[in-house]
Amino acid sequence: MTDSTDSFAALQLPPFLLSALAEVGYETPSPIQAACIPHLLAGSDLLGEAQTGTGKTAAFALPVLARLDAAVKAPQALVLTPTRELAIQVAEAFQKYAHHLPGFHVLPLYGGQSMIVQLRALSRGAHVIVGTPGRIMDHLERKSLALDRLQTLVLDEADEMLRMGFIDDVEWILEHTPATRQTALFSATMPEAIRRIAGRYQRDPQHVKIRAATTTVAAIRQRYWQVRADKLDALTRMLEVEEDFEAAIIFVRTKTATVDLAEKLEARGYEAAALNGDMTQGLREQVIDRLKSGALDIVVATDVAARGLDVPRISHVINYDIPYDTEAYVHRIGRTGRAGRTGSAILFVSPREMRMLKAIEHATRQKIEPISLPTKSEVADRRVAQFKRQVLEVIEAEKLDFFFDVVRQIEDEAEIKPREVAAALAFLAQRDRPLQPEGGAWQEEAAERPEARAPREKPHYSDREKAPYSEREKTPYAEREKTAHPDREEILEKRRAAAQGRLVKFRIDVGRHQGVTPKDIVGAIANEGGIEGRYIGQIHLFDDYSTVELPAGIPPETLATLKRTRIRQSPLNIRAIEGGAEEAPRPVKPRAKRPPERDESAPRRPAARSRPDGGSARYGDRPPGKAKPAGGAKHAGWHAPGKPKKR
């Protein structure tokens, strides 16, 4: 099903949502939005098959907000996402669309964030909860999250949750939600496990399948820069060194941003103007005419304002703000490379937006090449080349007799050579725009372009004892003088104790997107946790997280230290995912042991946890001889001696 709808107003959305959509530049619904919104507004369950980047967040967020009762300070919608990054993005989208809904509150819940902060936020009330399965389970077990008023449950990127091993957690959560809820499931693919969940937990769902059919012009060179510095400074650097630059259209998300960025570019010497939906048709035509005639070199625009813009001079399209979906990206870069001409497209991507970059590459079937910021020397070379060209053009085109006399007078009066006069005049000419850029904005160049760093000259040390490690490592290891650590025996004993028993798989919250390597992980665990590398098992890297095998008997204090340990500025937040010391395994359904006559509509209890004495325990069970906690504890499960309670 791929309905075609001309406007969001035709989807019967309330006025407060239409106003918010107009402000963020949404004009026409994408195919997934046009197909899903009517079904969700009608209260039907939905099974949506669509790739990331097709606009499915708005497809479920808009109908959820349309049906929301802001007067009820209780969770009315729950969105499950596979990663914390996606949870944050979805929560931000809800907040943006609900800009004109007074009193609305959305709360993201994910691991790695302070539980105290989340408990405090939950106590204040939230209309929409967006979270990862593990942390949602934690709050349900604590009774800090109540879903008795839940109207809609959304599973976003269900196939990704299956791949990451969360599918049992998802089913456990589904069994703790009201049977009357509306369920929307979105997935890029439909493996059998996802279809089984849809068949078990959805009621006569509407099936929507969207095929990504967008393609891009082969004549457009596509590149991206991962944002690590000031975007405005990066933009001006790139504009200076780009070859074949004639004119550019720079895309931002909001009308306010068009005016703000255009003014900042004008202050830096560029001929720039804003183009947005608030401008009258006369002003819009005036800006386009100036761009066509060459009076303007840069137009800063929103998606809506640039629709249908066709100016042959546009050689570059710069996505200063990444678009919300892949179709918008294709429309944007289509402003260049038209009618057989070549063009360039540059995309600014923050670390949190790398998922959208991958979605764009998948939808366009083209690889987008990464680029680095131009260095100081590259910008200087470009400015010098432009200056030389301007000087030669003036010599060829202008009559300079009067100025010859002025220069000769300076030579005679000051008794200096013509070359010195020319150098002084060049200095005056470039004073407002130095040929050699300097200042603090360039200090990040070394971090941005590590390959450009010059090797430092190492000092000569006459006394080898004072030499740094990098200098001493040239000496054969056996010949070095080694000093025993004062607590060496105690450290070795801890390592030996940790090495006993089987290996357990742990999850850590750093992965490829943080630039982490297995070497980084081994180094951090060995240095901070005192676990030798030979006792560390397999390490698997994923985009947003990694898994590592460690000995089962790791002391709680060592795990606490590793939780706080950081790799590339990101905390490990390590926790066991299969029966480790830090936490028991997640409750799962005992599928094989379930009697065939069991009523599937009745909520099932979580699977039993193993106990050190060989028995078992379920949530709420008490160890023999232990009285029920006074006052009604939220969680009365046992915990092994010497191990922290599960949080």
Side-chain angles (χ1 to χ4, degrees):
M1 178 177 179
T2 56
D3 293 347
S4 176
T5 305
D6 294 334
S7 68
F8 283 101
L11 296 175
Q12 306 300 314
L13 292 172
F16 76 89
L17 287 177
L18 297 177
S19 299
L21 291 170
E23 289 174 4
V24 298
Y26 280 20
E27 193 173 56
T28 304
S30 68
I32 188 71
Q33 294 162 3
C36 293
I37 289 176
H39 293 312
L40 293 177
L41 284 175
S44 302
D45 284 5
L46 183 76
L47 183 59
E49 189 172 351
Q51 297 290 335
T52 299
T54 53
K56 67 178 183 301
T57 300
F60 62 76
L62 295 175
V64 163
L65 291 170
R67 302 176 64 202
L68 198 75
D69 184 356
V72 177
K73 299 291 185 180
Q76 298 169 52
L78 171 64
V79 182
L80 294 180
T81 65
T83 65
R84 67 174 67 187
E85 289 78 14
L86 184 57
I88 294 171
Q89 290 179 24
V90 171
E92 289 175 347
F94 268 98
Q95 195 66 53
K96 177 175 57 188
Y97 301 145
H99 181 67
H100 297 291
L101 180 60
F104 172 76
H105 184 48
V106 58
L107 178 62
L109 300 175
Y110 49 85
Q113 189 183 42
S114 169
M115 181 66 78
I116 295 175
V117 172
Q118 292 181 358
L119 292 172
R120 188 180 300 121
L122 283 168
S123 67
R124 288 195 291 263
H127 298 97
V128 175
I129 302 294
V130 185
T132 53
R135 186 49 65 97
I136 296 298
M137 286 182 69
D138 289 341
H139 284 290
L140 288 174
E141 292 167 6
R142 285 171 168 264
K143 310 295 185 187
S144 53
L145 175 61
L147 300 179
D148 53 304
R149 305 294 294 272
L150 191 71
Q151 296 178 358
T152 305
L153 174 66
V154 179
L155 305 183
D156 195 8
E157 299 200 7
D159 55 343
E160 187 72 9
M161 286 192 273
L162 173 64
R163 186 185 69 81
M164 296 172 66
F166 292 151
I167 208 67
D168 288 329
D169 294 354
V170 170
E171 290 197 64
W172 188 89
I173 294 170
L174 282 164
E175 292 169 357
H176 287 73
T177 57
T180 56
R181 71 182 182 277
Q182 176 190 45
T183 306
L185 189 154
F186 290 89
S187 184
T189 58
M190 285 292 165
E192 183 56 34
I194 302 299
R195 295 186 182 278
R196 178 176 55 80
I197 289 178
R200 178 177 294 176
Y201 297 102
Q202 290 190 309
R203 301 182 302 273
D204 191 23
Q206 300 292 328
H207 192 181
V208 173
K209 189 172 184 178
I210 301 297
R211 294 286 186 188
T214 55
T215 57
T216 54
V217 181
I220 301 175
R221 183 189 179 194
Q222 299 177 64
R223 294 166 290 167
Y224 79 91
W225 172 65
Q226 188 168 352
V227 177
R228 297 188 183 93
D230 179 68
K231 287 172 69 173
L232 178 61
D233 175 65
L235 174 63
T236 53
R237 288 199 215 181
M238 291 178 183
L239 291 174
E240 288 206 54
V241 302
E242 278 297 296
E243 298 290 341
D244 303 322
F245 177 85
E246 189 172 1
I249 181 167
I250 301 175
F251 282 98
V252 293
R253 290 191 183 128
T254 65
K255 302 170 188 175
T256 304
T258 61
V259 178
D260 182 56
L261 183 56
E263 290 176 349
K264 289 179 178 177
L265 288 172
E266 281 188 301
R268 295 192 175 207
Y270 293 95
E271 292 295 333
L275 189 67
N276 59 56
D278 285 345
M279 299 171 63
T280 63
Q281 184 62 26
L283 287 176
R284 172 187 163 86
E285 291 176 356
Q286 182 180 349
V287 169
I288 295 174
D289 289 342
R290 291 176 62 198
L291 183 63
K292 289 180 178 178
S293 66
L296 273 181
D297 293 329
I298 297 173
V299 167
V300 186
T302 57
D303 290 316
V304 173
R307 293 278 169 86
L309 183 63
D310 185 7
V311 179
R313 288 186 64 236
I314 297 177
S315 59
H316 286 68
V317 169
I318 299 176
N319 291 277
Y320 193 78
D321 293 332
I322 195 168
Y324 290 116
D325 54 63
T326 56
E327 291 187 4
Y329 174 81
V330 174
H331 290 151
R332 286 182 178 188
I333 68 172
R335 299 309 101 200
T336 186
R338 300 170 75 89
R341 298 185 295 269
T342 59
S344 293
I346 299 175
L347 176 65
F348 284 17
V349 186
S350 70
R352 279 174 47 194
E353 295 166 338
M354 293 300 290
R355 293 172 61 88
M356 178 57 74
L357 173 68
K358 299 300 180 185
I360 290 171
E361 289 182 329
H362 184 274
T364 60
R365 303 178 182 89
Q366 292 189 18
K367 189 71 175 176
I368 304 178
E369 61 179 295
I371 57 173
S372 299
L373 276 186
T375 63
K376 176 180 176 180
S377 60
E378 289 172 339
V379 174
D381 291 344
R382 182 73 171 174
R383 291 184 181 181
V384 169
Q386 291 175 343
F387 183 74
K388 289 177 181 178
R389 185 172 65 252
Q390 290 173 348
V391 171
L392 294 176
E393 289 174 353
V394 169
I395 291 174
E396 293 178 1
E398 303 293 339
K399 293 183 178 181
L400 303 175
D401 294 344
F402 172 76
F403 298 97
F404 283 146
D405 292 336
V406 173
V407 171
R408 191 177 299 112
Q409 291 174 17
I410 296 175
E411 292 175 36
D412 296 339
E413 293 172 2
E415 297 182 355
I416 57 177
K417 297 178 181 179
R419 185 174 298 178
E420 294 178 274
V421 178
L425 293 173
F427 174 82
L428 292 173
Q430 60 90 62
R431 179 178 290 175
D432 294 334
R433 188 169 175 262
L435 298 181
Q436 288 184 309
E438 297 177 357
W442 298 93
Q443 300 306 316
E444 67 226 2
E445 173 188 315
E448 179 68 26
R449 293 285 297 270
E451 69 275 10
R453 300 178 193 170
R456 291 183 297 177
E457 199 172 310
K458 294 181 180 178
H460 173 70
Y461 291 90
S462 57
D463 184 0
R464 195 180 67 81
E465 297 253 348
K466 298 179 181 178
Y469 179 77
S470 59
E471 191 73 16
R472 286 188 286 117
E473 65 184 0
K474 297 178 181 178
T475 307
Y477 183 80
E479 299 177 13
R480 298 182 200 162
E481 296 182 10
K482 297 178 281 292
T483 303
H485 193 281
D487 301 323
R488 181 172 180 271
E489 288 303 322
E490 182 181 347
I491 293 173
L492 289 177
E493 185 59 34
K494 284 185 177 181
R495 290 180 178 174
R496 294 189 194 102
Q500 303 301 318
R502 65 185 180 90
L503 291 177
V504 173
K505 187 177 289 186
F506 288 79
R507 174 188 169 112
I508 57 178
D509 289 347
V510 291
R512 293 193 189 98
H513 285 173
Q514 289 77 30
V516 170
T517 65
K519 182 179 178 181
D520 296 330
I521 295 172
V522 172
I525 293 174
N527 293 334
E528 301 297 331
I531 302 174
E532 292 184 41
R534 59 193 174 118
Y535 298 131
I536 300 175
Q538 289 186 334
I539 295 175
H540 295 287
L541 296 180
F542 299 92
D543 289 344
D544 302 303
Y545 73 104
S546 303
T547 61
V548 56
E549 291 180 341
L550 298 175
I554 299 178
E557 60 269 24
T558 302
L559 278 176
T561 300
L562 290 177
K563 269 183 176 289
R564 299 189 298 270
T565 299
R566 290 177 174 267
I567 298 180
R568 300 187 183 275
Q569 306 304 316
S570 298
L572 292 186
N573 190 29
I574 189 169
R575 65 269 196 196
I577 57 178
E578 52 175 44
E582 187 251 2
E583 62 178 10
R586 296 288 187 199
V588 297
K589 301 179 303 306
R591 296 190 186 92
K593 297 180 181 180
R594 188 171 61 247
E597 67 275 13
R598 181 183 178 88
D599 183 3
E600 288 295 328
S601 63
R604 286 170 289 169
R605 301 176 69 188
R609 292 182 170 185
S610 59
R611 280 210 320 237
D613 59 5
S616 64
R618 295 182 183 272
Y619 291 103
D621 291 346
R622 296 186 297 280
K626 179 176 283 190
K628 182 177 180 181
K634 290 184 178 179
H635 182 66
W638 64 272
H639 67 281
K643 298 183 180 181
K645 291 183 179 179
K646 185 179 186 303
R647 298 296 181 192

